[in-house]
Structures are given as structure tokens and as C-alpha cells.
Amino acid sequence: MKRPSEGGPDDGEEHGGLRDKLMGLGERSVRKTYYPELRKRMEELERFRTLLDSAGDLIFVVEAESGRILDANETAWRKTGTEREKLLGTSIQDLLSPDEASEAARLLSCEAATSDDQVFHLPLAGGGRFPAGITVNVLGMNNRSMAVVVARDVTARIEAQRDMARAWGYLRSIVDAMPSILVGVNDRLEITLLNALGADMAGVAPESARGMTLASVLPWLPDLGPALAGAMADNRPRTLRKLPGKDPGVAKWYDATVFPLGQGRGEAVARIDDVSARVRMEEVLMQTEKMLSVGALAAGMAHEINNPLAGILQGVQSVLRRFAPDLEANRKAAASTGLDLDVLAAYMEQREIPSMLHSIQESGVRAARIVSNILEFSRRSDLSKAQVPLSQMVDKALELALSEFDIKKKYDFRHIRITRQDDPVLPSVWCVPTQIEQVILNLIKNAAQALSASGTPEPAITIRTGLCDGLACIEVEDNGPGMDDATRERVFEPFFTTKGPGEGTGLGLSVVYYIVVEQHEGRVGVRSAPGEGTTVSVKLPLNGRPAREKRA
């Protein structure tokens, strides 16, 4: 550990010879020859001492073996609040805690110089301690192993590091709180940043994702890598629309916006947003436009159908009247042609012609009623409320439902047993009739579709009306497959559907909820269990007073 002092083996003899020469010289010669040089050296030492004392760092000269402080600059004893006389002769380990003292002793025993990466805590004048980065450089002087210990106050540096850590933590919190996936990559398409949402979707920890390839973390977005590489190549942002989702069983779409970081850095960042709701809404708007066109067409067709229907009904009625034997005009015409009306009536009865004509008449009346219902239902509602019997609205909804069948969805109300259970004393309801008819029709259609999709052997729908808790109540019950708790809790969410992609918009029950709860201040609820069917209940105020709860 000890380093030899500077100089060769004859240094002692040389110094002795110089001493002998000085002793042989007179005082005048010494003053003339050596005092100027000595004064120069003393001034240099004084300047060096002043320089050390004015230094901002604490400087100690210590004995390497014992750690005893041999000298210290003014900054050292002022900063520590210890008088210089008391500081000299003490051990530098005495200024430190026991754990730090052992580490300081280890540094003093090392021959190589150390950096100020290690932080110790020295006493501070006025009380407390301050952090100091310690640099130790062991030297050999006059056959003694000594060390120069420089201590630098790193309070500002540590506080800056803490501020930086807090700022980074704050920025990280913002990034992780974003409802978008945020991913950064380098020029090798390796992950440099992945926020919490992206890590959750990828099934990895954000820290472990660093260094992984983009293709291995987000394999369900194959178009993202080329877009990021292109953005880094030409330093221009890019936007990708309607990227497919991760799960093929669930219709999901994403938009990605890619930003190059620039400034000579081969990195880029992509923000990925779930736009599934927007895409579904666009599809719904497109479908709504189609339905508006179909509705206008249906209304026009209904008007056109009314004219031949009127002719058919009038013709059938005229035919029946002209076969009637009690009309004078018929008897005169038969007598003039020699026709026996009784024989003709017997023939027609035997061939069931009157029953056929009555059947045609009934079908025509039914068709006219269906056309009338379609016209009334397709008209824009003025949202004016009125007192309307609940059973009347159920009747109209059923007429519309019974006249409908869907070949694609394979349900036909003619193959479903429909049961009515009406309270005979049910009063009228304050509502917008067309809206409540739409509610009942949606519930009936949903039940029919569930029965068809599950292949229920004997499909049945029961419609009940009555009073419950001072409210008018409608219940639509089916004997279909039912639903579990997770599905039941979400049935009123917009766009939620258990049907496959392209088979439903998931808006039927959300429209029901909106009309009943928001427009009529009523309640809506679902009772269901797997294998036990489903019952949807709608409760409406009798006179328009708001209900206390929105779910039943």
C-alpha cells in the first residue's frame, strides 16, 4: 500500500551536502543567495493554501492506514462546523456513520483513485448532515501512505435527480393513464416504450417489453411495423385506419397515428386508439339511412297497395251481394235469364264458394289493417303524449310482429306460441304511443330471435300487462336459453350483442332503455338464468309522474 517517496537513493547524501554548505556560509551569504528563493517558495505555498481554502469542495489530507486527518482546507472545517484544531488529528471515519466509516476505510486501502459516485453523509454546521460525493486518491510522501479526500456537496445533484424522477414518474402516469395504446420503437423496431394499456393488451409487463420486437409484442397489428419504419425513413407522420382487432371473435377496430421523433433520433411513437364504437356508429348511421329509405319506400308502397286492396274488398263485397237471393235486382236478373237462384245457392254452398269469398274478404281486411299499422308506425312522432290504453299498444305491436318473418334470421311468429295475460282493469298510460309500441315490438322480436337461435323445441312467448308498485307493467317472457349474470348486466349497453358479427347492432334493448327510462321516466329490468328463459319488464308511470328508480 505504501508508495515510495519521490527521489533516488542518494537523496539523503545530497541533502546532507547541501546542509553542510549552508552551515559553512555566513548569514549574509544565506540571505543574499537563498532567502529570495525561499521567499518565492513560501509565497507559492501561501497562494496554493489560499486556493485550497477558497475551493468549494471539502479537502482532507489523511493518513491512509489510520484515516487520521493531517490537514484540511477552510471549507472543510467551516462546512462541518468543527474548529480546525479539533478537526486535525481526528479520524475521518469519526465524521461518518458506522456503516459509512467501514466503506471509507475500504476506499483508503485502495491504491486506485475513486470517483464521487459513492455518497456519504458528513456533519453540517448548525446540525444535521449533508450528502457528499467522496473522491479518494492515495499518495506516497516521505515514506508515508497518505490520501487526499475530496468531498463535494451533492445536495443539488440529488435534488435534481429526485425532481427528474418525479417528472418522469408524472409523465409515466400521464402516459399510463391514456385511453390509447402508446408504443415507441427504435430503428430496429424494438420496443423502447409501452404504456400500461398496451402492456395489458399484449399480456406483458411494460419493463419487460423494452428490447422486444414490435412483431412479438403486438403481432395482431402487422401493418404497424412498416408504418413506423416509413415514418422514421422520411420523417413524416402517418395514419392507419380501421386496423383489425386482437380477438377475431369480437369485432374490434383500431386507428393508429405514427409520429417520428426526429432530431437525428432513429425512433418513432405510435398512438393506437380503439375506434370500434365509432365504426359501429358509422355502420348504424349507414343502416339508418338505408332504413329511412326503406321506410319511405314502404310508406309509398303501402299507399299504392291500399288502392288495389280497396278494389279487391269492394269487388268481393259486390260479388257476395250479387249472389244474395233476397235482393230484388238479383231476382229480376235471374228471372230474365231463366236461372233458379235457389239451385245456384245450393251449388255455391256445396262448392264452398261463399266461404272462399269471405276468406278473401277477411284476408283483404287483415292486409288493409297491416298497411294501416305500417303507415302509422312509419310516421314521424311529434313526441306528444296522451292517455292510451296499454292493451291497445300491445295489440298494435303484436299485429306488426305477427305480420313479420325473417328468412335470414329464421324466425317466424307464426311458429311461436304467443300467450296474452292482461289485467282487465288496467288503466291507460300517459305516453307517446308509437314509442311504447316500438318498445313492445323490440322486446317481442328479441325474444323470437333468441328462441330461433337456440332452437327451442316448443317456442313460446308470454306477454303480461298489469299494475305493479303503482306503475303500469309490461312483461315479455320467453322459454329460450336464458343468459348468465355477466350478459344480463350488459344487455342494455349500446352495441352489446351476443349475436355473431354482422347479425345484430346491439341497439335493440338500448333503445328500449332510452325510451322507457329517459323519455318516459319509467323502469326497465331483466330476470334471467341459463336454461330458464328470460323475462324483460317495463314499468311506466300512469300519469307521467317520474319514477324513483330507473331499474326494476
Side-chain angles (χ1 to χ4, degrees):
M1 270 306 306
K2 294 183 180 180
R3 297 183 181 181
S5 60
E6 303 294 337
D10 297 328
D11 284 349
E13 295 179 3
E14 184 177 338
H15 291 164
L18 179 61
R19 185 175 59 251
D20 293 341
K21 290 179 181 180
L22 288 175
M23 292 177 65
L25 292 173
E27 181 179 353
R28 183 177 179 182
S29 298
V30 172
R31 288 178 180 177
K32 182 178 179 181
T33 306
Y34 293 100
Y35 274 16
E37 184 68 22
L38 183 61
R39 187 178 299 109
K40 180 180 177 182
R41 299 301 181 197
M42 291 296 293
E43 289 175 355
E44 289 178 354
L45 288 174
E46 189 64 28
R47 285 197 300 270
F48 184 68
R49 184 75 199 188
T50 302
L51 179 64
L52 291 179
D53 286 340
S54 62
D57 295 337
L58 291 72
I59 303 174
F60 303 90
V61 178
V62 302
E63 193 174 51
E65 289 84 356
S66 63
R68 185 167 58 91
I69 299 174
L70 302 177
D71 200 355
N73 68 345
E74 184 176 350
T75 304
W77 56 268
R78 288 189 182 277
K79 184 84 172 179
T80 59
T82 306
E83 295 180 3
R84 187 173 185 275
E85 292 74 13
K86 293 182 179 180
L87 190 61
L88 301 180
T90 62
S91 172
I92 196 169
Q93 287 93 322
D94 294 339
L95 302 178
L96 307 172
S97 66
D99 293 338
E100 294 180 342
S102 60
E103 179 62 19
R106 186 188 68 79
L107 294 179
L108 291 173
S109 65
C110 295
E111 292 187 7
T114 65
S115 65
D116 62 350
D117 292 338
Q118 288 186 284
V119 176
F120 295 82
H121 294 81
L122 295 173
L124 183 64
R129 290 178 175 271
F130 69 94
I134 300 294
T135 299
V136 178
N137 190 11
V138 180
L139 304 172
M141 298 178 62
N142 297 329
N143 297 323
R144 298 173 66 187
S145 181
M146 293 187 295
V148 177
V149 178
V150 180
R152 175 166 295 174
D153 189 344
V154 293
T155 303
R157 187 182 77 185
I158 291 177
E159 188 60 33
Q161 291 173 344
R162 288 174 181 168
D163 289 342
M164 185 177 296
R166 282 193 294 266
W168 171 249
Y170 179 68
L171 291 175
R172 184 75 204 192
S173 299
I174 294 175
V175 168
D176 286 339
M178 290 178 62
S180 308
I181 298 174
L182 198 66
V183 57
V185 298
N186 57 21
D187 55 359
R188 296 184 299 277
L189 295 182
E190 295 172 342
I191 301 291
T192 58
L193 171 69
L194 187 66
N195 68 344
L197 180 60
D200 182 63
M201 297 233 10
V204 297
E207 297 78 13
S208 62
R210 291 178 62 88
M212 297 175 64
T213 62
L214 180 68
S216 64
V217 176
L218 300 175
W220 45 279
L221 293 174
D223 297 333
L224 186 59
L228 286 162
M232 286 185 281
D234 58 19
N235 200 34
R236 297 178 61 185
R238 282 168 167 72
T239 300
L240 304 177
R241 301 289 186 188
K242 291 185 68 173
L243 299 175
K246 178 180 180 181
D247 188 353
V250 179
K252 285 278 192 179
W253 294 274
Y254 294 88
D255 281 358
T257 306
V258 177
F259 303 93
L261 295 184
Q263 298 178 352
R265 300 176 62 181
E267 294 184 42
V269 176
R271 190 191 73 220
I272 306 165
D273 298 298
D274 187 345
V275 294
S276 303
R278 189 196 72 195
V279 172
R280 292 193 187 100
M281 182 60 69
E282 290 173 353
E283 292 179 350
V284 169
L285 291 176
M286 292 174 59
Q287 188 67 21
T288 301
E289 291 294 329
K290 292 180 183 178
M291 293 305 296
L292 288 175
S293 301
V294 171
L297 179 62
M301 290 178 61
H303 279 291
E304 294 298 324
I305 290 172
N306 266 338
N307 294 328
L309 272 179
I312 292 171
L313 290 174
Q314 186 176 359
V316 171
Q317 185 178 6
S318 297
V319 169
L320 287 172
R321 284 176 58 82
R322 294 188 182 192
F323 280 127
D326 54 345
L327 290 179
E328 183 64 27
N330 292 347
R331 290 198 299 272
K332 288 182 180 181
S336 65
T337 58
L339 178 63
D340 188 346
L341 288 179
D342 294 332
V343 175
L344 178 61
Y347 169 79
M348 291 178 64
E349 286 293 337
Q350 187 173 356
R351 297 298 296 167
E352 300 180 350
I353 293 176
S355 63
M356 293 180 182
L357 292 174
H358 283 297
S359 177
I360 293 173
Q361 189 177 37
E362 290 174 359
S363 297
V365 171
R366 182 169 178 267
R369 189 166 58 249
I370 291 171
V371 169
S372 176
N373 287 336
I374 291 174
L375 283 172
E376 184 177 352
F377 189 75
S378 64
R379 292 192 188 102
R380 287 185 179 270
S381 173
D382 59 1
L383 297 181
S384 59
K385 293 184 179 181
Q387 291 291 144
V388 183
L390 189 57
S391 58
Q392 176 182 319
M393 292 182 287
V394 175
D395 291 339
K396 287 192 176 182
L398 272 175
E399 284 183 12
L400 285 169
L402 293 174
S403 63
E404 177 181 339
F405 69 94
D406 193 315
I407 297 176
K408 181 179 177 182
K409 297 178 182 176
K410 299 179 181 179
Y411 71 85
D412 187 347
F413 287 100
R414 293 173 295 181
H415 300 151
I416 300 174
R417 177 170 54 86
I418 297 179
T419 305
R420 293 279 299 275
Q421 296 179 3
D422 295 326
D423 188 337
V425 295
L426 182 66
S428 59
V429 179
W430 183 257
C431 65
V432 180
T434 54
Q435 288 189 343
I436 301 304
E437 289 168 20
Q438 182 180 358
V439 166
I440 300 170
L441 180 61
N442 282 3
L443 296 180
I444 296 172
K445 289 175 64 175
N446 270 10
Q449 291 169 7
L451 292 170
S452 173
S454 63
T456 303
E458 297 180 2
I461 297 175
T462 301
I463 304 172
R464 302 185 186 91
T465 57
L467 286 174
C468 181
D469 300 329
L471 302 172
C473 182
I474 312 165
E475 287 190 349
V476 178
E477 179 183 355
D478 65 66
N479 62 341
M483 60 185 77
D484 55 25
D485 291 341
T487 303
R488 181 171 53 80
E489 288 294 325
R490 299 187 61 192
V491 291
F492 295 112
E493 292 182 11
F495 307 113
F496 175 77
T497 178
T498 57
K499 302 180 180 71
E503 295 184 9
T505 62
L507 291 174
L509 288 178
S510 65
V511 169
V512 168
Y513 185 87
Y514 174 76
I515 291 175
V516 173
V517 176
E518 302 297 334
Q519 296 294 322
H520 290 80
E521 299 177 329
R523 308 177 192 173
V524 60
V526 178
R527 300 192 305 273
S528 184
E532 298 181 7
T534 301
T535 301
V536 181
S537 63
V538 172
K539 297 177 182 178
L540 299 168
L542 297 176
N543 56 2
R545 290 180 299 181
R548 292 183 180 180
E549 300 176 4
K550 292 189 176 183
R551 287 279 182 104

